[in-house]
Amino acid sequence: MTPGRRRRRGYDHAGLLARRLARRTGAPVAAGALRRTGGRADHQLGAGRAERLAGTRLSVHARPGRLPSGRRVVLVDDVHTTGATLDACARALRQGGVPEVLAVTAVRALRGA
């Protein structure tokens, strides 16, 4: 989440989840390991399923100096809608040299529900 968006919301949903998970597991939180580039941070907002899955609305890059060490990274997201954000983040981590990427979400949005 961008700093501006965090200020507007007052908190970072995924960050809160990540810190709680880290506290329970003893794993470190690697805040800032990924960076959205090429547009607004809310670029996925309002996009349809096909647009999100096309992968052209979101660009994410790993920040080498901030990547966690180890073989496994757990991505934490507050809402899993289409999986496009998680997919973009996982691809960036893999390209940055992380061998295994897992994902945890708090909420799964279902179509038609």
Side-chain angles (χ1 to χ4, degrees):
M1 177 178 287
T2 64
R5 193 167 189 190
R6 188 177 303 114
R7 278 191 301 276
R8 284 191 303 277
R9 281 187 175 181
Y11 55 94
D12 175 4
H13 298 89
L16 290 170
L17 294 168
R19 286 190 298 279
R20 292 260 172 109
L21 183 62
R23 200 168 39 221
R24 287 184 151 237
T25 64
V29 174
L34 297 173
R35 181 181 185 110
R36 286 184 188 222
T37 57
R40 298 183 343 239
D42 63 352
H43 210 65
Q44 295 283 72
L45 192 62
R49 181 174 177 77
E51 289 176 294
R52 286 175 180 242
L53 294 175
T56 57
R57 295 180 63 92
L58 179 64
S59 182
V60 179
H61 299 282
R63 299 172 77 185
R66 296 188 178 195
L67 284 175
S69 60
R71 297 193 32 80
R72 181 179 296 145
V73 170
V74 178
L75 283 172
V76 178
D77 199 359
D78 54 346
V79 179
H80 174 210
T81 307
T82 62
T85 300
L86 289 171
D87 184 60
C89 292
R91 263 190 275 118
L93 288 166
R94 295 293 307 266
Q95 289 171 352
V98 175
E100 185 178 3
V101 180
L102 306 171
V104 173
T105 60
V107 177
R108 171 70 166 110
L110 301 173
R111 287 192 300 170

